[in-house]
Amino acid sequence: MTFMPKLLGTAAALALSAGAALADPALIFDLGGKFDKSFNESAYNGAQRWVEETGGSYNEVELQSDAQREQALRRFAENGNDPIVMAGFSFMTPLAEVAPDYPDTTFVIIDGVVEAPNVKSIIFSEHEGSYLVGMLAGMASETGTVGFVGGMDIPLIRKFACGYAEGVLAANPDATVIANMTGTTPAAWNDPVRGSELTLAQIGQGADVVFAAAGGTGLGVLQTAADEGIYSIGVDANQNYLHPGSVLTSMLKRVDNAVYDAFMAGDEIETGLAMLGVAEDGVGAAIDEHNQDLITDEMQAALDEARAGIEAGEIEVHDYTSDESCPSVSF
Amino acid sequence: MERMPKWADVVLIPLISLLLAAILSALVILAIGESPVEALKLMVSGALGSTYGWGYTLYYATNFIFTGLCVAIAFHARMFNIGGEGQALLGGLGVAIVLLYIPWPHWTIALIAAIVAAGAFGAAWAAIPAYLQAKRGSHIVITTIMFNFIAAALLNWALVGPLKAPGQEPATSSFPEATHLPTLGDVFGVFGIEWSHAAPANVSFFIAILACFALWALIWRTRLGYEIRAFGHSEPAARYAGISPTRIIMIAMLISGALAGCMAINNVQGEAERLVLNAAEGAGFIGIAVALMGRSHPFGVFLAAVLFGFLYQGGAELALWMNIQRELIVVIQALVILFTGALDNMIRMPLEKLFVAAGRQPPAPDRKSTSAEGAQ
């Protein structure tokens, strides 16, 4: 793999030997690994975009174990990396512990909230983006039954499911939404076989569009949907290209933008909480050359209308995490 | 029977194994276009070049000492306990329950309670396979492996269900402040020695060393230890001498499980200060390699554990500062395990032949001279 410039290794070695502070940013991926075609890869793409545009270099690490979270944070902070961006809510506990020890370093956590003066927490309004793809699913479905396959059963994923169900019902009030979770542990993020089984089960119940919000597990969902000739919806990164003609759209979560912006801002990041929704272009539905034949003019119009409605505050999508309940779907 | 001198057995074979693993690892690193020399430098400086690096190396080493001793004591009774992983997980559960639900006034008392709980839970988890082996002849390798999976499932259930703290993660809430163990930085600070406070190595490292001494005394200085070794060398002979196989299997496995469980005072109470999923992170399996490499002797286990601690911390440093994927770091660590653990005989047999041949060639007056040479 020669994705990363050799520069990087040498720069790091230099920094180590000289003990000098380099103001290079750093990026820490979660256990899913950086080429998961989803959440982590999206973060990676954002960093790569920054490298291409600025010619800068950054440090990155893929973790092998939970114990390394704190280690990676401290090592990068001591190395003088700034800002340090981490992808995943699992960093909340270690970051809360580490951040006060390095007051001059700015940390950016995606998908989690840590309250500290030198931490920026980025939260995405996944329910809004899921609403948009839900509408498309409701319109594309011929059977009136659509499915949802979640990864690990946590409030964050229920937030996806709830927004999705609201979108489906907005497009077709008589539709049925089936929601299944892959598991209750982090292993559920990387179990494409189980994702495939759940998809087959949902197809058996009549689903002809399945939305996968399940990290690596989703690849199994998309594959099975393509094999069985139904529509699927990707998540986080634009996954339309994986199975053109079968992937109806992807619920974009612009983790890449979040990483890119953080890298761009350097040490002038505004700390505190940032919510990225439809209005901020943080989430959305992906339309590109791989799926434009699947999206009718009518669907496009409905999509634009819904997007405008959410931006203007006319459509309010229920956020599962606000009250831990969902009126539109049961789990 | 002609044998090679003891020093070759204890020092030379592990060294050659390590060297072979290092050469292969260097080839792997070369193949992905990085410099093996650079990688080795990075590993050494990252794991041993600072008190911070040592702090991580010794933290991992503490885990491996406990699991290595766990496998070693079972080896002495000629049993292969592959269940260290599950027993360590259960130990974590015991530690978490004791520390979460009882308010401890001071870490010293909390540590003693945690050791008791971790040992009891680990031993209980080893007791079932041990009983099945002793009474029913169910092979201990099979049952302990299966118990690892049951332990993982049990921990899943506990951390998603009754013990789960509010939030997204399947983990318990943090243990109270009073139960947090002092790190080596705190300990050495008392004596005025500068030591990094950020690294997770803590007082359980000293508990691990104590455990090494205790196990040595048990195996070579007590009647029970003698019985365990006698049973391990020959079950019929031990039976003939009036040693009860059931008793020895049960006791050896209980000690073994308790040692694996005690690892939890390091990783659960000392480092994470809460119980997370998969807290043992494979240390139970590394313990097998550590015990094999350490020839089941507590001192050997200690040295091997520090070596593996170095490999773990050095591997983490490689991942941080070099363009080497984490999968390849696992490959490198696995090579060392493969050579020192599994391929032991590959080096031992030719070496043994060599020594025997060398011993025969000169008209040696008696065998003592060879061993005397060896002693030098």
Side-chain angles (χ1 to χ4, degrees), chain B residues 148-317:
Chain B
N148 286 336
F149 290 97
I150 306 176
L154 183 68
L155 265 282
N156 274 358
W157 170 79
L159 289 178
V160 172
L163 290 178
K164 185 176 184 293
Q168 313 248 20
E169 261 183 302
T172 68
S173 40
S174 289
F175 302 147
E177 190 75 35
T179 65
H180 293 186
L181 296 180
T183 63
L184 286 189
D186 300 330
V187 176
F188 290 142
V190 175
F191 304 106
I193 303 170
E194 273 298 310
W195 188 279
S196 164
H197 285 261
N202 54 70
V203 289
S204 42
F205 175 61
F206 301 115
I207 309 277
I209 294 176
L210 279 183
C212 286
F213 276 112
L215 201 71
W216 171 80
L218 173 81
I219 295 176
W220 280 284
R221 288 290 178 274
T222 67
R223 178 190 289 189
L224 177 65
Y226 178 77
E227 289 179 353
I228 290 175
R229 281 183 295 141
F231 177 81
H233 279 296
S234 164
E235 185 179 338
R239 211 189 280 267
Y240 185 70
I243 297 170
S244 151
T246 308
R247 179 168 161 271
I248 294 300
I249 290 176
M250 286 304 290
I251 291 178
M253 281 303 288
L254 283 178
I255 297 173
S256 176
L259 282 167
C262 279
M263 182 192 122
I265 60 169
N266 186 46
N267 67 340
V268 177
Q269 187 181 9
E271 197 267 333
E273 289 160 2
R274 62 187 183 136
L275 184 60
V276 297
L277 267 185
N278 189 24
E281 297 191 317
F285 299 115
I286 302 293
I288 300 169
V290 168
L292 281 171
M293 197 176 178
R295 294 276 168 276
S296 299
H297 190 289
F299 185 64
V301 165
F302 175 82
L303 288 183
V306 173
L307 172 75
F308 275 92
F310 158 75
L311 280 177
Y312 257 58
Q313 167 59 10
E317 289 291 313

Side-chain angles (χ1 to χ4, degrees), chain A residues 2-313:
Chain A
T2 44
F3 277 112
M4 275 215 293
K6 273 262 162 57
L7 234 172
L8 206 152
T10 358
L14 272 176
L16 268 183
S17 52
L22 280 181
D24 277 349
L27 177 59
I28 309 177
F29 300 103
D30 212 328
L31 295 174
K34 78 177 159 184
F35 298 118
D36 63 353
K37 296 202 164 38
S38 183
F39 182 74
N40 288 298
E41 190 158 338
S42 189
Y44 172 73
N45 289 337
Q48 285 309 109
R49 179 145 57 94
W50 176 82
V51 167
E52 277 158 26
E53 285 181 16
T54 65
S57 67
Y58 68 99
N59 287 102
E60 60 169 18
V61 66
E62 291 178 89
L63 298 181
Q64 280 174 297
S65 74
D66 272 312
Q68 287 178 353
R69 290 182 200 281
E70 192 177 325
Q71 186 176 9
L73 286 175
R74 287 192 189 277
R75 289 299 274 147
F76 282 145
E78 275 166 25
N79 188 44
N81 292 101
D82 195 14
I84 299 171
V85 183
M86 66 217 78
F89 61 84
S90 300
F91 284 99
M92 275 160 64
T93 314
L95 181 60
E97 206 151 292
V98 169
D101 293 352
Y102 304 95
D104 297 332
T105 306
T106 311
F107 297 92
V108 179
I109 179 165
I110 298 171
D111 265 6
V113 181
V114 171
E115 302 214 355
N118 56 336
V119 174
K120 174 169 184 168
S121 310
I122 298 176
I123 295 283
F124 287 90
S125 303
E126 292 93 353
H127 53 296
E128 296 179 2
S130 299
Y131 180 91
L132 296 180
V133 299
M135 283 198 51
L136 296 180
M139 296 175 82
S141 171
E142 282 165 21
T143 60
T145 301
V146 301
F148 173 87
V149 175
M152 185 176 160
D153 190 1
I154 50 172
L156 175 68
I157 293 303
R158 292 188 171 205
K159 187 175 166 185
F160 277 88
C162 192
Y164 173 68
E166 295 221 325
V168 172
L169 295 179
N172 177 6
D174 301 326
T176 313
V177 182
I178 315 165
N180 289 115
M181 297 292 176
T182 307
T184 51
T185 64
W189 299 125
N190 213 347
D191 193 349
V193 176
R194 177 120 176 87
S196 168
E197 283 169 15
L198 288 171
T199 310
L200 285 174
Q202 293 187 345
I203 293 171
Q205 295 173 64
D208 61 352
V209 186
V210 178
F211 176 27
T217 305
L219 297 178
V221 176
L222 268 47
Q223 179 72 52
T224 305
D227 293 347
E228 298 293 318
I230 66 158
Y231 291 130
S232 60
I233 298 175
V235 78
D236 292 348
N238 184 346
Q239 297 181 321
N240 293 356
Y241 72 95
L242 287 175
H243 303 282
S246 170
V247 181
L248 181 64
T249 178
S250 295
M251 200 296 264
L252 290 179
K253 179 165 155 180
R254 301 305 299 265
V255 178
D256 53 339
N257 283 353
V259 173
Y260 174 82
D261 291 344
F263 276 20
M264 269 297 182
D267 45 10
E268 277 150 30
I269 291 181
E270 241 178 84
T271 56
L273 179 65
M275 298 272 266
L276 301 182
V278 165
E280 296 81 14
D281 231 356
V283 293
I287 311 286
D288 62 9
E289 73 269 22
H290 298 294
N291 71 335
Q292 60 196 8
D293 297 341
L294 307 176
I295 307 292
T296 61
D297 293 342
E298 193 189 347
M299 285 156 84
Q300 183 67 51
L303 183 65
D304 292 338
E305 198 180 318
R307 195 180 285 146
I310 293 175
E311 268 184 51

